[in-house]
Each structure stands twice: as C-alpha cells, then as structure tokens.
C-alpha cells in the first residue's frame, strides 16, 4: 500500500501540473518500475549503494534529502515497529507524532 500511495501522490502532482492522467500514470509506473528493477536482485549492500550513487546536487538527491528532512524515513521505521508489535501481539510504543505540513515561505524580507 505505501508504495502505491507514493505513486498516486506523484501521479496526482503531475496532473496538478497539467499532465494528462493517463500519461502521468504511465510515467510514474515506468519510473517506479525502473527504480525497482535496479534492486530486483539485492545483496546486503545494494540499497545503501543505490542511495549513495545519487548525484550530489541532482534531482533525485534533492528529493531524497527533502524527504529525510521531513521525517519520511523515521515515519517508515515507526510504522514498521508498530506493525511488528501488532504481529507479535504487543502494544506499540507510545510516540508523539507530528504531522508534516508544508506551505510557501513568507516572501517578505
């Protein structure tokens, strides 16, 4: 579900930029297919290597950095911890969760 939600968010964003829904869906599907193909036969260091190979200052590196700064990696870890607790029949750890929000920066000096 989480991966599909990311794809839906990307498709929706493209549509908001004026891209046709079908074209947006095909592009998102192709990009995610390419990305997942790169990790289809992973070894112990595959994922770390794929993250590290992002071009410094590049578009992929920017998205990765901004998602990390927004807490996306921590949110995923917390969700995985909670799912494991549920599977094991124990209560999930109590956490204070804060929702991410984004708004344009104030342009005034």
């Amino acid at each position: 579900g989480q991966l599909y939600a990311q794809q839906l968010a990307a498709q929706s964003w493209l549509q908001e930029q004026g891209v046709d829904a079908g074209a947006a869906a095909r592009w998102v599907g192709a990009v995610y297919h390419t990305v997942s193909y790169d990790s289809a036969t992973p070894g112990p260091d595959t994922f770390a290597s794929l993250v590290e190979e992002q071009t410094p200052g590049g578009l992929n590196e920017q998205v990765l950095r901004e998602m990390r700064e927004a807490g996306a990696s921590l949110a995923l870890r917390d969700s995985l911890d909670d799912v494991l607790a549920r599977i094991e029949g124990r209560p999930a750890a109590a956490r204070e969760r804060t929702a991410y929000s984004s708004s344009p920066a104030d342009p005034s000096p």
Side-chain angles (χ1 to χ4, degrees), residues 1 3 5 10 13 15 17 29 37 46 50 69 78-79 87 94 103 105:
L3 180 67
W13 181 85
Q15 288 176 247
Q17 308 314 306
Y37 182 82
T46 298
L50 290 170
E69 290 170 356
D78 286 350
S79 292
I87 290 168
S103 58

Side-chain angles (χ1 to χ4, degrees), residues 44-67:
D45 300 320
T46 298
F47 304 116
S49 295
L50 290 170
V51 169
E52 291 303 316
E53 76 178 19
Q54 303 310 302
T55 304
L59 301 175
N60 292 329
E61 185 274 336
Q62 178 183 349
V63 171
L64 178 60
R65 177 176 31 80
E66 291 179 1
M67 295 290 290

Side-chain angles (χ1 to χ4, degrees), residues 18-36:
V19 177
D20 169 76
R26 288 188 298 278
W27 185 85
V28 169
V31 167
Y32 275 74
H33 173 74
T34 299
V35 170
S36 64

